Amino acid sequence: MEKKIRVLIAKPGLDGHDRGAKVVAKALRDAGMEVIYTGLRQTPEQIVTTAMQEDVDVIGLSILSGAHMSICKKMLELLKEKDMLEIPVFVGGIIPSDDAEELKKMGIKAVFGPGTPLSTIVESIKNLFAGVEF
């Protein structure tokens, strides 16, 4: 039996818009993945703790607040401290292309902007789980 990919979808920061996170969570679930959604207003510390407790394979962050650079930096620092950097992290939200490139240089594996087809996100998560770099 094939292992289900366990994905944590998290909504860090103070913005209260989580429709996109829920749409992505449903698409991943419909694709056969096991999805854990943290709900709104999570801190990076809470997200990393949940990722550890839930033994997830991939972490997805939905960020619309404009704080993506600082939140992602903190997330990656915490994952490093916990020796969990092998868990790929992807980010979705309104993220300028220059910032997307910088996030990837920091260690974020993928950045999905508004309008990204759900099929693209699903296939990308499958590739992240398989260790495919892109």
Side-chain angles (χ1 to χ4, degrees):
M1 186 168 139
E2 189 173 314
K3 178 186 183 304
K4 277 191 172 187
I5 302 171
R6 291 177 59 88
V7 182
L8 178 67
I9 299 294
K11 186 78 185 143
L14 298 177
D15 81 66
H17 301 89
D18 64 347
R19 182 179 300 164
K22 289 178 177 175
V23 168
V24 169
K26 183 175 183 328
L28 298 176
R29 192 174 319 127
D30 290 349
M33 298 180 203
E34 192 171 333
V35 179
I36 299 104
Y37 176 55
T38 63
L40 295 170
R41 299 182 182 91
Q42 299 293 301
T43 66
E45 290 83 359
Q46 290 171 316
I47 295 166
V48 170
T49 297
T50 302
M52 188 179 340
Q53 291 171 342
E54 295 290 341
D55 193 26
V56 299
D57 301 304
V58 179
I59 299 171
L61 304 174
S62 174
I63 306 172
L64 297 174
S65 65
H68 47 272
M69 298 303 288
S70 59
I71 288 172
C72 289
K73 180 179 179 196
K74 182 67 175 175
M75 279 289 306
L76 293 169
E77 289 171 356
L78 291 169
L79 289 171
K80 184 176 181 180
E81 285 177 19
K82 302 289 184 188
D83 197 25
M84 298 169 58
L85 273 179
E86 76 281 358
I87 300 174
V89 178
F90 71 92
V91 180
I94 300 174
I95 297 172
S97 59
D98 288 348
D99 287 356
E101 289 305 313
E102 192 62 35
L103 289 170
K104 289 179 184 175
K105 288 178 188 172
M106 289 170 44
I108 299 298
K109 297 299 183 183
V111 178
F112 304 111
T116 302
L118 293 172
S119 60
T120 299
I121 296 172
V122 167
E123 286 308 309
S124 297
I125 302 311
K126 288 178 180 176
N127 286 334
L128 286 174
F129 177 70
V132 175
E133 291 289 330
F134 55 94

